[in-house]
Amino acid sequence: MFYHDKKLQYTVRVDKPNPAFARMLQQAIGGIEGEIRVCLQYMFQAWGCRGPVKYRDMLLETGTEEMAHIEMLATAVALNLEGAGNDLKDKVAGENPLVAGIMGGMDPRHILSSGLAAMAVDSNGVPFNGSWVVGSGNLAADMYANVMAESTGRVLATRLWESTDDAGMKDMLAFLIARDTMHQNQWLAVLEELGGLENNHPIPNSFPQSEEVSAFSYSFISTNIAKPAAPDARWAQGRSLDGKGEFSFDHAQPHGEEPKLGPPKPEGHAQKEQMMDDGLKGVMNKVKDTLL
């Protein structure tokens, strides 16, 4: 059950409306790096969270906060669109200022579909995609997915900050950037609390490594046909990060055999030529020979 406070989490102020920037802000709402993604990701992780209830509570609280961020960004989009015609009011009679705004980089759907409001789409008008939402049921795996989501979200917010000279927009984005900082640290703190690299890895730590083909557990396999020497790199030598093995650098080689598939089934209606073996004997004839 959710409750709403009609006041925004943080001030949203637009000093100079800019419909082109409203379009850019859509990426922070409905893009793969956006707030709808993290909101739904944390919510679905929470709704399916099993184990200590504190993790479920934390995910619910943060997912709910992300709703507030969607609201802030949607308000910013609307305010940037609201004044779209003001800067163009001195245009010659008969010229449509909104059309001029579109030609200047505005998303036409902000007029045609939403009536000067935000939408659940990215900056190109592509609808939000729920397949971006990660909720695996494994707490450690989900925390890494959350760090990635907050990291790319913070990268986007900083790029948006660089893309505007509007003081109000910079202030709002600076707040969102700060929250991304906290959330990155928050998910990393869970991973530390779970035991850090050595205890968490390999994920899932509940699967016995004795069941792995252990010769390949810590081998970096180079597929470079030139067969280069091992690089001076952390992943190519020394103790593994989980403390359970030694890294090696190996050149790729086949350990299996050439795959051999059976012939097509006649009722599958492949081409006749596919139904011939190397001796040019048809599948149907081979079936008859077998029966005889």
Side-chain angles (χ1 to χ4, degrees):
M1 187 169 182
F2 297 91
Y3 297 87
H4 178 251
D5 187 326
K6 66 180 181 179
K7 295 181 180 178
L8 295 172
Q9 185 185 16
Y10 190 79
T11 300
V12 176
R13 185 183 85 249
V14 175
D15 297 331
K16 184 180 179 182
N18 182 343
F21 192 63
R23 179 176 183 173
M24 295 175 72
L25 287 172
Q26 282 289 160
Q27 192 67 20
I29 295 175
I32 192 170
E33 314 94 337
E35 301 288 353
I36 295 179
R37 187 261 180 93
V38 291
C39 173
L40 291 180
Q41 183 154 305
Y42 305 157
M43 287 300 191
F44 275 95
Q45 289 176 8
W47 293 327
C49 188
R50 302 175 190 274
V53 70
K54 65 179 178 179
Y55 298 120
R56 181 177 185 275
D57 290 346
M58 178 187 64
L59 285 161
L60 279 172
E61 298 225 38
T62 305
T64 305
E65 181 187 357
E66 301 297 359
M67 290 186 195
H69 297 172
I70 298 169
E71 183 181 27
M72 288 170 58
L73 287 161
T75 302
V77 167
L79 291 176
N80 272 287
L81 294 171
E82 199 171 87
N86 292 344
D87 293 337
L88 303 166
K89 61 185 178 181
D90 295 327
K91 291 283 185 179
V92 294
E95 184 174 357
N96 187 327
L98 290 177
V99 172
I102 294 169
M103 298 305 293
M106 183 178 183
D107 186 344
R109 287 196 61 211
H110 278 148
I111 299 171
L112 302 174
S113 300
S114 70
L116 303 183
M119 298 175 287
V121 301
D122 68 12
S123 57
N124 287 323
V126 179
F128 173 76
N129 189 331
S131 68
W132 299 334
V133 173
V134 176
S136 71
N138 180 291
L139 189 60
D142 285 350
M143 291 303 106
Y144 279 112
N146 295 351
V147 171
M148 183 281 290
E150 291 288 345
S151 299
T152 53
R154 193 172 189 274
V155 169
L156 173 63
T158 57
R159 289 172 178 167
L160 287 168
W161 188 92
E162 295 285 359
S163 300
T164 182
D165 59 2
D166 185 286
M169 288 291 88
K170 277 189 176 291
D171 183 52
M172 178 196 75
L173 289 164
F175 169 79
L176 294 175
I177 290 166
R179 297 309 298 151
D180 288 340
T181 297
M182 172 56 193
H183 293 156
Q184 286 182 38
N185 279 274
Q186 174 178 323
W187 310 132
L188 289 169
V190 174
L191 288 163
E192 181 181 278
E193 186 172 88
L194 293 175
L197 281 173
E198 293 197 4
N199 189 62
N200 286 317
H201 291 268
I203 297 171
N205 62 5
S206 54
F207 184 83
Q209 281 197 270
S210 59
E211 296 296 326
E212 297 179 20
V213 182
S214 58
F216 298 93
S217 294
Y218 297 98
S219 167
F220 178 89
I221 297 178
S222 171
T223 55
N224 187 334
I225 196 171
K227 295 184 182 275
D232 181 16
R234 180 65 184 87
W235 63 85
Q237 58 192 348
R239 195 73 174 157
S240 62
L241 274 296
D242 60 14
K244 299 177 178 70
E246 291 286 328
F247 286 135
S248 65
F249 182 89
D250 302 300
H251 298 294
Q253 57 180 309
H255 295 278
E257 304 297 329
E258 179 182 354
K260 294 187 184 299
L261 305 181
K265 291 184 177 297
E267 62 269 25
H269 294 289
Q271 289 298 92
K272 291 184 292 184
E273 291 77 6
Q274 290 177 259
M275 298 188 184
M276 307 296 287
D277 62 16
D278 290 339
L280 301 182
K281 195 169 189 178
V283 171
M284 294 304 295
N285 288 333
K286 291 178 69 174
V287 171
K288 289 178 182 177
D289 290 347
T290 302
L291 292 175
L292 293 174

